[in-house]
Amino acid sequence: TKWELEYITGPRIAFNGLYPDKKPHITFNKATQMVQGNNSCNGYSAPFTVKGDALTFGEPGPTTMMYCGEGEQVFVNTMKKINKYSIDADGKLVLMMDDVPMMRFHKAP
């Protein structure tokens, strides 16, 4: 499943201001224990670990290095804080720091 970001906590910049052209997305590969996607500007991949509802991401591998504004750094820095996940009543993926929702994704078409 490919998930597209629809909410991120923290920045005072409006979501569509952070990601005016392309929304970040993420795809989990259970077989390789890698996550990959696009942080709105550059592609990325990183290892991940899941135990129950605990979720952690390793250091991302090499990415392309275009600069496209603040949104990319907000996304990457928020991913580093994630330690839990849930699927909400609407089927959306919620990534959390402890019990605080940090990012929310819907299934991409």
Side-chain angles (χ1 to χ4, degrees):
T1 302
K2 181 177 174 181
W3 300 92
E4 184 177 86
L5 186 69
E6 65 176 33
Y7 164 81
I8 192 163
T9 191
R12 295 176 188 263
I13 301 169
F15 183 80
N16 286 332
L18 279 175
Y19 308 110
D21 301 319
K22 187 176 187 181
K23 308 298 182 248
H25 64 265
I26 190 170
T27 304
F28 293 85
N29 184 327
K30 290 179 187 172
T32 62
Q33 292 291 289
M34 293 292 287
V35 64
Q36 60 190 40
N38 189 291
N39 56 29
S40 79
C41 183
N42 293 295
Y44 69 88
S45 65
F48 74 93
T49 305
V50 175
K51 288 184 183 163
D53 67 351
L55 170 67
T56 54
F57 296 100
E59 278 300 310
T63 66
T64 51
M65 295 304 292
M66 292 188 330
Y67 178 75
C68 303
E70 262 184 85
E72 179 177 33
Q73 271 312 112
V74 170
F75 183 84
V76 170
N77 289 337
T78 304
M79 290 286 285
K80 292 177 182 177
K81 299 174 184 175
I82 300 304
N83 59 16
K84 280 178 75 175
Y85 81 98
S86 70
I87 303 292
D88 71 11
D90 296 323
K92 296 182 178 179
L93 173 66
V94 181
L95 301 184
M96 298 177 286
M97 181 175 69
D98 301 320
D99 291 323
V100 179
M102 302 292 284
M103 306 168 98
R104 184 176 62 241
F105 296 79
H106 60 263
K107 288 182 182 175

